């Protein structure tokens, strides 16, 4: 879906142009498409270069306030406007909500005044023949919001979906799972994730690389003792500004994800299976940590080449295979593995701060379907672990159906499995992390993950 430019009489570097394109992206997500894929399509051409950053920024912001914007709009109009007008209004609300401090997000990189947002939203609808009729409506709705912002927002946010900006089923599920932390978990998912780096320990140390970053004028700090290779940047920068990125000195990876290779504890010479491997983030870390005979398995032929590309940049090697982890007969050579990492497909509910569209794309029924698939993968892979070998089950989910429930089920059905120490449920980020029972977290800034580790007797 390319951005429909032809009818548009707006400069590509104007906010109106970006609002028009971001509105199309928002509507594509409403129709079920994933935001990164839509943005790649819409902002792909050369003509979009000037607008790309702004379109992306606005569309991501809109995902984090979609239900608030919908509720504000429903209160402002008698009948719903056509999708493109609706989309422009939602994107304009996203910028105005940010500037009002009504939501917990940093100001846009290019902060716009309220006046500019309204003016450019009007220009965006005026620039298309089919939406030009709505100029007055857009102007009136946004000005009315600015006049009575606090009252309108308080009224709209009476509805929990508009208050939290998640579907009701998601709010209910988080509340049921984490009765003491549900608000912090939902709020954490509405923040912007930091850019976290993983330093290639074969080539340098986190401390030394931090100095290199500082010399390049890039601020950052060590993420914590549990993740010795991780550096959290003070402000995100494009990867091409990271010294040595293209030479494999450093990679981008959330600090929660960096626990995987360390927990698996593979040592030189071990035969290791990384069973759901693309794009190869954890594969790379495993190989940075030890010399391994590593098979990286991935079911998607489209995604598998990304493993090879990532390893090439890191100057590391694995045997990349395309196959289904639930059906090893098609790809396994029969030789058992000393370590198996199963980073299974899941709801991705732990990484919504990086992928804020996920909450609008998932359905409640997806969780049971994913849990069933995870069990198929777990059962099949366990047979591949050598006696005395270890198995690490990972999801980037915050739902117990994909986490602790699965670990307990697994212990129940596999008499030769001994559960070892592992973080269990790591709730995403900051205040959400809580110690005790199955929930751990150092308070550092990470996404939501679940880790369970098993030894094969
Ligand atoms: C959570 S992602 C893995 C992320 C990866 N481990 C990393 O750290 O970069 C899950 C991956 O598993 C793949 N996948 C899904 N079902 C699979 C299956 N049955 N067998 C193998 N791979 C599968 C998906 O295509 C996806 O690339």
């Amino acid at each position: 879906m390319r951005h429909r430019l032809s009818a548009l009489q707006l400069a590509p570097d104007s906010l109106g142009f970006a609002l028009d394109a971001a509105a199309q992206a928002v509507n594509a997500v409403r129709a079920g498409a994933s935001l990164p894929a839509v943005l790649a399509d819409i902002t792909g051409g050369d003509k979009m270069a000037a607008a790309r950053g702004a379109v992306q920024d606005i569309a991501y912001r809109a995902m984090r306030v979609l239900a608030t914007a919908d509720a504000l709009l429903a209160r402002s109009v008698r009948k719903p406007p056509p999708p493109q007008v609706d989309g422009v209004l939602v994107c304009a609300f996203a910028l105005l909500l940010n500037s009002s401090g009504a939501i917990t997000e940093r100001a846009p990189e290019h902060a716009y005044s309220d006046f500019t947002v309204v003016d450019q939203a009007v220009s965006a609808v005026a620039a298309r023949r089919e939406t030009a009729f709505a100029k007055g409506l857009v102007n009136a709705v946004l000005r009315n919001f600015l006049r009575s912002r606090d009252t309108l927002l308080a009224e709209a946010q009476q509805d929990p979906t508009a208050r939290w900006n998640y579907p009701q089923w998601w709010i209910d599920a988080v509340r049921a799972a984490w009765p003491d932390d549900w608000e912090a978990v939902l709020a954490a998912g509405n923040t912007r994730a930091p850019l976290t780096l993983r330093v290639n320990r074969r080539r340098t140390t986190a401390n030394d690389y931090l100095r290199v970053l500082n010399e390049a004028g890039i601020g950052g700090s060590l993420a914590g003792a549990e993740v010795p290779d991780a550096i959290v940047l003070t402000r995100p920068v494009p990867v091409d500004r990271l010294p040595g990125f293209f030479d494999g000195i450093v990679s981008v990876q959330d600090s929660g994800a960096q626990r995987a290779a360390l927990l698996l504890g593979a040592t030189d010479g071990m035969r290791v299976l990384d069973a759901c491997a693309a794009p190869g983030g954890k594969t790379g870390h495993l190989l940075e940590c030890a010399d391994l005979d590593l098979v990286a398995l991935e079911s998607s032929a489209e995604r598998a080449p990304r493993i090879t590309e990532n390893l090439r940049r890191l100057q590391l090697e694995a045997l990349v295979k395309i196959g289904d982890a639930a059906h090893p007969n098609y790809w396994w050579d029969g030789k058992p593995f000393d370590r198996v990492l199963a980073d299974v497909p899941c709801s991705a509910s732990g990484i919504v701060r990086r992928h804020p569209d996920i909450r609008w794309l998932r359905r409640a029924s997806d969780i049971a379907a994913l849990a069933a698939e995870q069990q198929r993968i777990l059962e099949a892979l366990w047979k591949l672990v050598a006696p005395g070998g270890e198995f690490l089950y990972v999801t980037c989910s915050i739902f117990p159906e994909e986490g602790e429930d699965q670990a307990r089920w697994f212990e129940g059905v596999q008499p030769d499995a001994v559960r070892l120490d592992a973080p269990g449920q790591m709730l995403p980020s900051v205040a959400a992390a809580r110690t005790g029972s199955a929930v751990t977290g150092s308070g550092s800034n990470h996404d939501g993950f679940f880790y369970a580790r098993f030894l094969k007797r």
Side-chain angles (χ1 to χ4, degrees), residues 199-436:
V199 170
N200 183 347
R201 58 166 74 187
R202 284 184 185 264
R203 314 278 289 279
T204 183
T205 65
N207 267 319
D208 284 349
Y209 191 71
L210 206 46
R211 276 190 283 280
V212 173
L213 282 177
N214 287 337
E215 278 160 23
I218 300 171
S221 54
L222 299 179
E226 286 158 343
V227 276
D229 305 320
I231 291 176
V232 181
L233 294 192
T234 315
R235 243 174 244 100
V237 299
V239 289
D240 58 11
R241 278 199 53 209
L242 294 170
F245 177 82
F246 294 107
D247 299 327
I249 305 285
V250 71
S251 302
V252 172
Q253 189 178 42
D254 182 76
S255 64
Q258 294 187 39
R259 300 292 293 274
L262 306 172
L263 285 162
L264 199 66
T267 51
D268 286 354
M270 279 190 176
R271 182 167 155 77
V272 175
L273 173 66
D274 181 357
C276 298
K282 299 184 185 71
T283 321
H285 199 195
L286 283 165
L287 290 165
E288 287 166 10
C289 291
D291 292 330
L292 305 172
D293 172 9
L294 193 146
V295 177
L297 181 79
E298 168 58 45
S299 63
S300 159
E302 226 170 75
R303 285 168 61 81
R306 295 185 57 196
I307 307 171
T308 316
E309 283 160 27
N310 268 319
L311 293 184
R312 194 174 302 133
R313 185 180 60 81
L314 294 169
Q315 300 161 32
L316 295 166
E317 274 179 32
L319 177 60
V320 177
K321 288 194 174 191
I322 296 170
D324 182 345
H327 296 283
N329 289 348
Y330 292 100
W331 52 265
W332 184 42
D333 61 8
K335 282 193 244 157
F337 292 96
D338 302 302
R339 294 285 185 275
V340 173
L341 169 63
D343 188 12
V344 295
C346 73
S347 62
S349 49
I351 55 171
V352 286
R353 47 185 206 157
R354 289 179 203 284
H355 299 283
D357 54 328
I358 284 173
R359 70 194 82 185
W360 308 119
L361 296 170
R362 291 269 175 268
R363 299 287 167 260
S365 56
D366 293 345
I367 308 305
L370 285 161
E373 174 65 2
Q374 290 155 5
Q375 293 191 353
R376 277 192 290 276
I377 294 176
L378 279 166
E379 281 206 297
L381 293 181
W382 185 242
K383 300 191 179 82
L384 280 50
V385 182
E390 290 181 21
F391 183 89
L392 185 65
Y393 173 74
V394 187
T395 70
C396 54
S397 169
I398 53 164
F399 297 134
E401 294 88 333
E402 303 179 277
E404 189 55 33
D405 293 0
Q406 297 289 51
R408 295 218 174 122
W409 164 82
F410 189 71
E411 270 186 291
V413 297
Q414 303 295 352
D416 52 352
V418 181
R419 193 156 175 191
L420 301 174
D421 216 29
Q425 185 69 58
M426 294 168 64
L427 290 176
S429 192
V430 282
R434 147 171 101 76
T435 51

